[in-house]
Amino acid sequence: MKLRVMSAAFLMGAASYIAMIGPAAAADLGGDCCSDLEERVAELEATTARKGNRRVSLQISGQVTTGVLAFDNGDQSDAYITDFGPDSSRFRLKGSAKINPNMSAGFVIEVSTLSARADQVTETKDEGADTGDGAVALRLANWYLEHKHYGRLTVGRLNMVSDGISEIDLGGTNIVARNGLYVGNSIAFGGGSGFTIGNFFPGTDFEFDRNNAVRYDTPTFGGFTVGTSWGENDRWDIGLRYAGEHAGFRIAGGIAYGYDSDNTVLDQAIPGNTAESIQGSLSVLHVGTGLFASGSFAHREFDIGSIEQDYWSVRGGITKNWFGIGKTALYGEYHKSDFDTDALLSSGVGIVNGKGEIWGLGVVQNIDAASMQLFLSYRNVSADADNVPVRTDLDDVNIVFSGAKITF
């Protein structure tokens, strides 16, 4: 009874107070309160990285990749703790917002950290380039507009269309068996020749990787997409990709053409040299058995000296979840390069005329619960160099690379 009397008295008092200050003041109180709250929320959203704001989403992701590289070139052997350049440790910020049901906008910012690149360590230096306590590099920083029916336009530091087009692999082994020799690239062959593995094998499959550029990609039509990009130094490319599944087989592939009017490999020795390249790859996976096969090719020509370079590779194996923790991929690989650079030997460019071969074996173990990949690979690298006027015989290099990648 007392509680009901007290409640009634409180309500009567509140009504009397509102009547005294008037309805306009009461309405102003509510409006000012909400306005202040809105401003405060906006301030917090502008200064706090969470999941974005009410208009633009925000995702934070990345990975850490390190391994142990052991080598023997016939004269020296050693083992280093290294980073893997193409799959370097990095973090990424991504965001997107819906403009209308058919159109969206977004951005990507990606930064990598490298302290001892696996393609820069040498037989005498375990950190490769002078990176001090570690090199931090901006990989990507771009924005895009995308329309459901008209495709995507991207502007900024981005991956050009040909990037990765000769590395398509449905077997899940690119973490360690990627085309080009990104592991041990700067290690010299034994025998005192002074030639490194990188003199015979390209580090990028002649692809145009990251660049400050403009890129356009079409929507997907029947599994096909077409893209083109143009960037600094009048470097441009165009490419076609496909992905689909037919009769129990997954198929993915692509092909691209690129033109570089200021080639960065040779311009120090021959200013203004231009290059044209074409590269592609195809990968097939049988879903039921996990058997897969992948192949790639790359060709580049320079307009000075009639220089041609060719590179191709094949890879095959099986990928299945045998242990219940994630797929295990077992594979074998073979790579071959042919660099016809006679005209440049007297220019001091450092690229030799010769042929190189790689054969290797490896395993990649996925641990799904930890978003982790463990890898172990072995490669034998051999080369024949025609060094004017004397032919040079090179000792093989044997490389073992093991480590892990964890994503977040």
Side-chain angles (χ1 to χ4, degrees):
M1 181 65 179
K2 289 183 179 180
L3 182 60
R4 287 200 297 271
V5 172
M6 291 175 64
S7 299
F10 175 77
L11 292 173
M12 290 176 64
S16 300
Y17 177 72
I18 292 174
M20 286 190 294
I21 64 175
D28 288 344
L29 178 62
D32 290 342
C33 174
C34 294
S35 176
D36 291 344
L37 182 59
E38 290 284 335
E39 291 178 5
R40 183 56 180 155
V41 169
E43 290 176 3
L44 290 172
E45 288 175 343
T47 58
T48 305
R50 299 175 299 169
K51 294 183 179 180
N53 54 43
R54 286 165 293 173
R55 296 180 178 86
V56 181
S57 67
L58 174 65
Q59 296 179 343
I60 301 175
S61 60
Q63 64 190 51
V64 176
T65 311
T66 57
V68 179
L69 185 158
F71 71 91
D72 186 340
N73 69 356
D75 292 335
Q76 295 175 274
S77 61
D78 212 330
Y80 305 142
I81 307 298
T82 64
D83 305 298
F84 189 32
D87 247 324
S88 59
S89 299
R90 65 190 69 161
F91 64 88
R92 181 186 308 108
L93 303 176
K94 294 175 61 176
S96 63
K98 276 280 188 183
I99 298 175
N100 58 47
N102 291 323
M103 195 168 186
S104 61
F107 69 90
V108 177
I109 300 174
E110 187 174 281
V111 177
S112 68
T113 61
L114 289 165
S115 59
R117 290 180 51 152
D119 61 342
Q120 291 185 354
V121 295
T122 72
E123 66 277 10
T124 59
K125 194 169 186 179
D126 61 3
E127 291 183 356
D130 292 325
T131 56
D133 291 329
V136 177
L138 178 67
R139 289 175 56 86
L140 304 173
N142 60 71
W143 58 264
Y144 68 85
L145 288 171
E146 183 170 19
H147 193 281
K148 187 181 299 184
H149 305 300
Y150 303 122
R152 174 184 288 201
L153 176 69
T154 309
V155 180
R157 183 162 179 80
L158 50 80
N159 294 316
M160 297 192 71
V161 164
S162 60
D163 183 36
I165 207 161
S166 60
E167 301 172 351
I168 297 171
D169 173 53
L170 295 175
T173 60
N174 266 345
I175 179 64
V176 67
R178 192 182 299 259
N179 293 345
L181 199 68
Y182 294 97
V183 178
N185 218 38
S186 299
I187 295 174
F189 288 95
S193 68
F195 291 135
T196 67
I197 293 173
N199 289 139
F200 298 88
F201 290 94
T204 62
D205 300 337
F206 314 139
E207 299 169 351
F208 298 164
D209 296 327
R210 292 173 298 280
N211 199 10
N212 294 322
V214 178
R215 172 172 174 167
Y216 169 73
D217 295 275
T218 68
T220 301
F221 299 103
F224 290 93
T225 59
V226 178
T228 185
S229 53
W230 171 86
E232 292 180 348
N233 296 325
D234 291 330
R235 174 182 292 184
W236 65 271
D237 57 8
I238 184 169
L240 171 71
R241 293 175 185 259
Y242 173 78
E245 186 169 333
H246 306 276
F249 288 89
R250 290 179 187 164
I251 303 171
I255 187 170
Y257 167 83
Y259 181 82
D260 187 350
S261 65
D262 189 13
N263 183 261
T264 56
V265 174
L266 301 175
D267 59 355
Q268 291 183 353
I270 306 178
N273 196 20
T274 63
E276 295 179 90
S277 63
I278 183 169
Q279 57 274 319
S281 58
L282 178 68
S283 185
V284 179
L285 168 71
H286 185 251
V287 178
T289 62
L291 293 170
F292 68 91
S294 305
S296 73
F297 75 95
H299 176 80
R300 180 166 62 178
E301 296 182 5
F302 300 95
D303 66 345
I304 297 178
S306 300
I307 306 154
E308 295 187 11
Q309 299 174 327
D310 292 287
Y311 178 78
W312 60 270
S313 70
V314 291
R315 190 187 323 169
I318 185 170
T319 175
K320 288 188 74 71
N321 190 347
W322 283 299
F323 308 111
I325 59 174
K327 288 185 176 180
T328 304
L330 303 172
Y331 70 90
E333 59 179 338
Y334 178 79
H335 307 251
K336 187 174 180 62
S337 68
D338 188 348
F339 284 12
D340 182 9
T341 59
D342 279 330
L344 289 181
L345 287 173
S346 60
S347 302
V349 176
I351 299 177
V352 301
N353 181 47
K355 297 175 174 61
E357 290 184 308
I358 299 172
W359 67 267
L361 303 167
V363 57
V364 179
Q365 176 63 60
N366 291 270
I367 304 178
D368 295 341
S371 296
M372 193 174 194
Q373 288 180 296
L374 303 175
F375 56 85
L376 172 65
S377 72
Y378 165 77
R379 277 179 167 177
N380 173 271
V381 186
S382 60
D384 291 320
D386 293 329
N387 188 17
V388 179
V390 180
R391 176 182 176 83
T392 302
D393 293 321
L394 309 175
D395 293 339
D396 291 4
V397 180
N398 295 290
I399 297 175
V400 175
F401 189 46
S402 63
K405 169 184 172 181
I406 188 167
T407 59
F408 59 86

